């Protein structure tokens, strides 16, 4: 995450890393890390780096900083896919969570049962009201 | 992709089901037999091209195994033996020691500077990313190709594709698939 000054915008931090700033500290999934008092609206990059176990590197010529990913665990800390938008086979942007969002809407079918719905981008998804046989639901840790 | 998922070479893929859950971590993902395995070395090819094509032919490619597993998952969904449980997905993803997290930051800084027109400043950060995580081929190939599209030797970098592949052996360029 590129930072142009010594402080980090919390909204950008959450968008890029998943860490949200809350009254109890910096939180991600079920974890919360205490932050020093006053660290709320604009966060000191150095403090964040220390508390969250993220490396902070600097370009000495431009003064730009970059906050790296959390160290110490695995590349995948959870099995929940991030909210990504990637180009599809036709080069059109496709939001990864579009199908999951559609599934939770459970569009009723013509005879009352669940019917396939269409995600933005034209993909068909089976609504969540019609679980597949033997569906073992996987949840993030 | 490196930072989000721990992808270190291409082609790699991970599987994400309709619920948005990752059911396989990144792994080599050739959808078919790549043409470079069968490409004949053209007459009159430069020594550099001969070296590159020769090394590429030694790369391990397991496209049949991969596609068989992928088709099984498409057919059987969560009942496929290739769709892994969450603990196994995480355990199979790459460890991220501090050096590798720092390499990701250096690489991002290098990319940013390059895009901003400061290719001269980007090189030092790319070099540091290479030093911190020498088995990350995307960091290397990206930086090399920005200077030399053939990823051959340059003044900016100590390594190049052929030399670095030879160091590890072409058969180790991609890890063996653990299906």
């Amino acid at each position: 995450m590129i930072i142009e000054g010594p402080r980090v915008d919390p909204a950008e931090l959450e968008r890029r890393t998943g860490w949200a700033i809350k009254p109890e500290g910096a939180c991600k999934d079920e974890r919360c890390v205490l932050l020093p008092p006053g660290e709320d609206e604009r966060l000191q990059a150095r403090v964040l780096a220390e508390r969250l176990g993220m490396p902070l590197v600097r370009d000495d010529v431009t003064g730009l900083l970059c906050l790296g990913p959390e160290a110490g665990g695995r590349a995948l800390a959870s099995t929940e896919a991030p909210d990504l938008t990637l180009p599809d086979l036709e080069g059109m942007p496709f939001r990864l969570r579009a199908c999951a969002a559609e599934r939770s809407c459970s569009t009723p079918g013509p005879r009352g049962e669940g019917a396939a719905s269409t995600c933005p981008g034209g993909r068909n998804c089976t609504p969540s009201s019609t679980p597949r046989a033997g569906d073992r639901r996987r949840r993030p840790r | 992709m490196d930072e989000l998922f721990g992808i270190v070479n291409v082609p790699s893929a991970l599987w994400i089901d309709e619920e948005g859950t990752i059911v396989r971590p990144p792994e080599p993902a050739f959808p078919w037999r790549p043409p470079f395995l069968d490409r004949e070395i053209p007459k009159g090819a430069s020594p550099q091209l001969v070296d590159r094509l020769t090394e590429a032919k030694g790369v391990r490619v397991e496209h049949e195994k991969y596609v068989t597993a992928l088709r099984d998952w498409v057919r059987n969904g969560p009942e496929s033996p290739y769709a892994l449980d969450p603990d196994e997905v995480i355990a199979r993803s790459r460890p991220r020691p501090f050096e590798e997290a720092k390499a990701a930051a250096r690489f991002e800084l290098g990319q940013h500077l390059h895009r901003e027109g400061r290719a001269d400043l980007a090189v030092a950060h790319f070099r540091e990313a290479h030093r911190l995580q020498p088995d990350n081929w995307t960091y290397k190939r990206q930086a090399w190709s920005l200077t030399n599209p053939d990823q051959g030797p340059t003044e900016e970098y100590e390594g190049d594709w052929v030399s670095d592949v030879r160091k590890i052996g072409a058969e180790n360029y991609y890890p063996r698939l653990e299906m």
Side-chain angles (χ1 to χ4, degrees), chain B residues 32-175:
Chain B
W32 48 70
R33 184 177 170 85
F36 64 73
L37 288 181
D38 305 309
R39 188 173 167 195
E40 287 192 17
I41 296 173
K43 284 181 183 173
S46 68
Q48 292 82 6
L49 180 59
V50 172
D51 286 348
R52 202 162 68 242
L53 293 177
T54 304
E55 290 302 323
K57 285 174 186 291
V59 163
R60 176 190 296 123
V61 172
E62 299 177 280
H63 63 288
E64 289 173 346
K65 199 172 170 182
Y66 184 77
V67 172
T68 299
L70 182 59
R71 287 185 188 282
D72 187 90
W73 181 52
V74 170
R75 255 193 317 269
N76 299 308
E79 295 307 311
S80 168
Y82 303 107
L84 304 175
D85 288 326
D87 286 348
E88 198 169 353
V89 171
I90 290 166
R92 286 193 187 198
S93 72
R94 284 180 65 92
R96 180 165 278 154
F98 191 78
E99 290 74 18
E100 293 192 10
K102 201 170 173 182
R106 286 285 176 192
F107 184 74
E108 185 178 353
L109 196 47
Q111 289 270 77
H112 179 83
L113 288 165
H114 187 90
R115 289 181 185 133
E116 294 293 309
R118 296 306 307 265
D120 55 326
L121 300 180
V123 170
H125 298 290
F126 287 144
R127 286 173 61 101
E128 185 63 358
H130 299 169
R131 185 188 71 77
L132 290 163
Q133 192 178 0
D135 68 345
N136 190 317
W137 289 92
T138 56
Y139 291 167
K140 290 181 172 181
R141 294 176 69 182
Q142 176 73 355
W144 294 336
S145 61
L146 289 172
T147 306
N148 178 341
D150 292 333
Q151 300 174 40
T154 58
E155 289 180 2
E156 285 84 352
Y157 300 103
E158 285 157 13
D160 62 89
W161 193 82
V162 169
S163 305
D164 283 35
V165 168
R166 281 179 177 162
K167 277 184 197 164
I168 59 163
E171 69 280 11
N172 300 312
Y173 185 61
Y174 295 108

Side-chain angles (χ1 to χ4, degrees), chain A residues 35-120:
Chain A
L35 294 175
E39 290 292 333
D40 42 21
E41 290 179 1
R42 299 281 290 178
L43 307 153
Q44 278 195 54
R46 183 184 53 78
V47 171
L48 268 182
E50 285 170 10
R51 296 289 171 106
L52 302 181
M54 295 168 162
L56 184 68
V57 301
R58 183 174 188 272
D59 179 71
D60 292 333
V61 176
T62 60
L64 279 176
L65 298 169
C66 184
L67 194 61
E70 298 153 62
R74 317 290 298 188
L76 296 178
S78 135
T79 53
E80 185 178 3
D83 189 10
L84 281 180
T85 299
L86 297 169
D88 66 12
L89 284 175
E90 285 79 41
M92 300 299 291
F94 175 68
R95 190 175 170 209
L96 212 56
R97 287 194 179 158
C99 275
E102 284 292 319
R103 283 171 65 85
S104 66
C105 290
S106 73
T107 311
R111 288 180 298 177
E113 73 272 23
S117 56
T118 304
C119 293

Side-chain angles (χ1 to χ4, degrees), chain B residues 11-28:
Chain B
S12 291
L14 66 162
W15 296 358
I16 301 173
D17 71 12
E18 303 97 319
E19 303 278 355
T21 301
I22 300 169
V23 298
R24 284 194 76 84
E27 57 199 342

